Amino acid sequence: MPAISLKVNQRAVTAEVEPRTLLVEFLREHLSLTGVHVGCDTSQCGACTVFVDGVSVKSCTMLAMEADGAEVTTIEGLAQGGKLHPMQQAFHEHHGLQCGFCTPGMVISSADLLKRNPRPTEGQVREWLEGNICRCTGYHNIVKAVLACAEGSAK
Amino acid sequence: MKEFHFHRASSVADAVAAVKGASAGKFLAGGQSLLPVLKLEMAEPSDLVSISRIKELRGVCVDGNKLLIGAVTTHAEVAASSEVKKHIPGLAALAEHIGDAQVRNRGTIGGSVAHADPAADYPAALVALGATIKTDRRAIAAEDFFTGLFETALEPDELVVAVHFPIPEKSAYAKFASHASKYALCGVMVSKTGSDVRVAVTGAGQKVFRVPEMEKALAARFEPSALDGISISADDLLSDGQASAEYRAHLVTVMAKRAVAAA
Ligand SMILES: Cc1cc2nc3c(=O)[nH]c(=O)nc-3n(C[C@H](O)[C@H](O)[C@H](O)COP(=O)(O)OP(=O)(O)OC[C@H]3O[C@@H](n4cnc5c(N)ncnc54)[C@H](O)[C@@H]3O)c2cc1C
Ligand code: FES
Ligand code: FES
């Protein structure tokens, strides 16, 4: 089996994988990073979203082989030194989740948006999150959380 | 998903040789169309040859009156490119509304044109702008490239290297998107350079097509109202649960007017 070497949540990892292994399978089954969720496995829902080299991707629609040499960050790697990432904190404060299934993907996608556009409008937040589906919240508090996080980080 | 061998190509020659040498080889770019196809086992390649890290295939540059976009340039990179925004803003706007953010971060222009989904956005831009598809062995005019439903003029081992877009005076794209997937139920790109006006439609038919009657009317007067009373026949259009052929025919005129207004 071919081997891949990458950084996951700042930790160096080398592993042998079957070429058909999806990145999400590698993260969940080989590394036990089960915060990365599989909602659909058909590239629609965004629950599996992770950062690969700083951009958000659907890890169910990428081969683990394609992450060879890359830096991957999952929801488990966002908090630093025991302190939640500002986007996690904003979701917590604004009740941006109910069952929490979509939340890891929502948080990563939203963090990617603020990296590119630190002060998005409400419309831009809604449009950006098109690739993340939530069956519980109706999105309002998610959008509130992202806008609040943007205001906080712009201060 | 069935098993396959994986290769990472380091150059165009390497990629083409790897696909040629395999019993059923396929290029892998962003994987945003190919991986869903493999999961459904609608294709069973023996070998996947990844082209996503071939440097010579990535990036945007201007050469005289042409904009050159490398095959593995992602939709997000096209949307954010200052060169694309400056020279063909309609193309940057089109790229910005493909699928969703995560799809745009992986999906590539070369993969989109090679896949030739009837509801993909780029084909409308390539045909309306009179683009040329450069492969490892030849140059193909966009109008000769898209030959049918998920069909192109490419040989099985032929690699798209870049797309060359002549820079128009103005252009714009208007799409009526499927609510679920964001693919085009109907998307219309218009472009104008002097008296040369082109109107290309994606999402409505088996493949991208031009509308000569609209082009003539717009060449005489480039305004939305020039399209009043011009409609296309629903006869050969797609019909599915999302939209009937008649509704798609109606959308063609509406989207064409919106594109002209935005250009
Ligand atoms: C949820 C979702 C929503 C989407 N919405 C839209 C949308 O609104 N509009 C739209 O246009 N598209 C949409 N797409 C498709 C997306 O744009 C894909 O990225 C694109 O169609 C394929 O590009 P890729 O780089 O991912 O190619 P891949 O999936 O890697 O490859 C696709 C095919 O092209 C071949 N190929 C790839 N690169 C080359 C090359 N350089 N030369 C020769 N052959 C090549 C491959 O062998 C394969 O057969 C969507 C996809 C998803 C998952
Ligand atoms: S599990 Fe990847 S998009 Fe739904
Ligand atoms: S909180 Fe339940 S799916 Fe979003």
Side-chain angles (χ1 to χ4, degrees):
Chain A
M1 271 196 286
I4 54 172
S5 295
L6 62 160
K7 264 197 181 166
V8 180
N9 298 335
Q10 300 179 336
R11 194 164 62 89
V13 180
T14 296
E16 288 194 339
V17 293
E18 260 193 62
R20 64 179 164 176
T21 309
L22 297 170
L23 179 58
V24 69
E25 293 167 347
F26 178 70
L27 295 170
R28 288 179 57 87
E29 291 162 26
H30 295 232
L31 304 182
S32 300
L33 294 169
T34 51
V36 189
H37 290 170
V38 179
C40 65
D41 197 30
T42 53
S43 320
Q44 313 287 327
C45 76
C48 63
T49 302
V50 301
F51 277 117
V52 176
D53 288 334
V55 301
S56 54
V57 308
K58 292 173 176 173
S59 61
C60 75
T61 314
M62 179 169 172
L63 296 177
M65 296 298 296
E66 288 283 68
D68 186 25
E71 289 199 19
V72 175
T73 304
T74 70
I75 192 74
E76 287 91 343
L78 279 191
Q80 294 294 329
K83 200 165 167 276
L84 290 182
H85 182 280
M87 190 61 76
Q88 291 173 305
Q89 189 63 37
F91 269 65
H92 174 71
E93 280 169 20
H94 295 271
H95 195 51
L97 59 145
Q98 288 179 21
C99 80
F101 194 84
C102 69
T103 314
M106 286 285 181
V107 168
I108 301 251
S109 279
S110 305
D112 192 12
L113 170 62
L114 295 199
K115 282 209 288 185
R116 295 162 199 249
N117 178 0
R119 292 303 296 266
T121 62
E122 178 185 338
Q124 288 169 328
V125 173
R126 289 184 184 276
E127 200 170 304
W128 183 265
L129 292 177
E130 237 149 34
N132 293 80
I133 295 173
C134 174
R135 62 176 185 180
C136 303
T137 63
Y139 302 97
H140 290 299
N141 285 357
I142 292 174
V143 175
K144 263 193 221 160
V146 179
L147 291 171
C149 185
E151 273 175 29
S153 48
K155 260 183 221 154
Chain B
M1 212 189 304
K2 292 274 163 63
E3 282 187 58
F4 49 78
H5 300 286
F6 180 90
H7 311 259
R8 175 172 302 294
S10 54
S11 67
V12 167
D14 187 25
V16 173
V19 166
K20 244 190 195 126
S23 59
K26 252 191 173 310
F27 300 111
L28 172 66
Q32 302 302 294
S33 293
L34 186 52
L35 291 180
V37 165
L38 295 184
K39 287 183 187 183
L40 294 169
E41 299 189 354
M42 279 158 54
E44 298 183 1
S46 62
D47 296 72
L48 285 193
V49 178
S50 169
I51 58 169
S52 59
R53 291 192 197 165
I54 302 178
K55 282 213 183 67
E56 53 191 295
L57 294 183
R58 168 156 270 131
V60 176
C61 70
V62 177
D63 179 17
N65 67 343
K66 285 203 178 96
L67 189 72
L68 280 43
I69 304 185
V72 304
T73 312
T74 63
H75 310 328
E77 286 164 348
V78 172
S81 158
S82 54
E83 298 283 24
V84 182
K85 283 197 224 172
K86 181 170 159 207
H87 296 288
I88 319 185
L91 185 62
L94 174 152
E96 197 177 353
H97 290 100
I98 294 177
D100 53 54
Q102 296 96 317
V103 168
R104 293 192 293 273
N105 282 338
R106 291 289 304 162
T108 69
I109 187 168
S112 177
V113 303
H115 194 59
D117 191 302
D121 296 303
Y122 271 127
L126 268 69
V127 170
L129 294 167
T132 303
I133 292 102
K134 295 274 179 190
T135 77
D136 62 294
R137 60 201 70 166
R138 57 182 169 150
I140 309 172
E143 275 185 87
D144 303 327
F145 182 86
F146 298 103
T147 53
L149 196 69
F150 295 105
E151 275 177 18
T152 69
L154 289 173
E155 304 285 339
D157 59 3
E158 188 169 7
L159 182 73
V160 174
V161 169
V163 183
H164 293 192
F165 292 96
I167 295 172
E169 219 169 277
K170 45 182 163 179
S171 68
Y173 180 64
K175 127 159 120 168
F176 195 89
S178 150
H179 210 61
S181 71
K182 304 302 163 194
Y183 275 104
L185 283 182
C186 170
V188 178
M189 183 94 179
V190 297
S191 85
K192 177 179 188 306
T193 303
S195 59
D196 181 21
V197 174
R198 294 177 190 219
V199 177
V201 180
T202 190
Q206 301 265 329
K207 63 170 186 146
V208 57
F209 61 88
R210 287 173 66 179
V211 189
E213 205 187 339
M214 289 186 177
E215 294 177 351
K216 224 171 111 192
L218 291 169
R221 191 163 55 88
F222 196 77
E223 280 168 32
S225 62
L227 300 178
D228 283 345
I230 304 182
S231 58
I232 68 160
S233 156
D235 284 353
D236 294 320
L237 299 191
L238 299 171
S239 192
D240 56 30
Q242 299 194 77
S244 64
E246 289 71 24
Y247 185 51
R248 280 187 162 90
H250 172 73
L251 285 177
V252 171
T253 305
V254 177
M255 292 302 120
K257 285 186 176 185
R258 286 189 190 171
V260 172

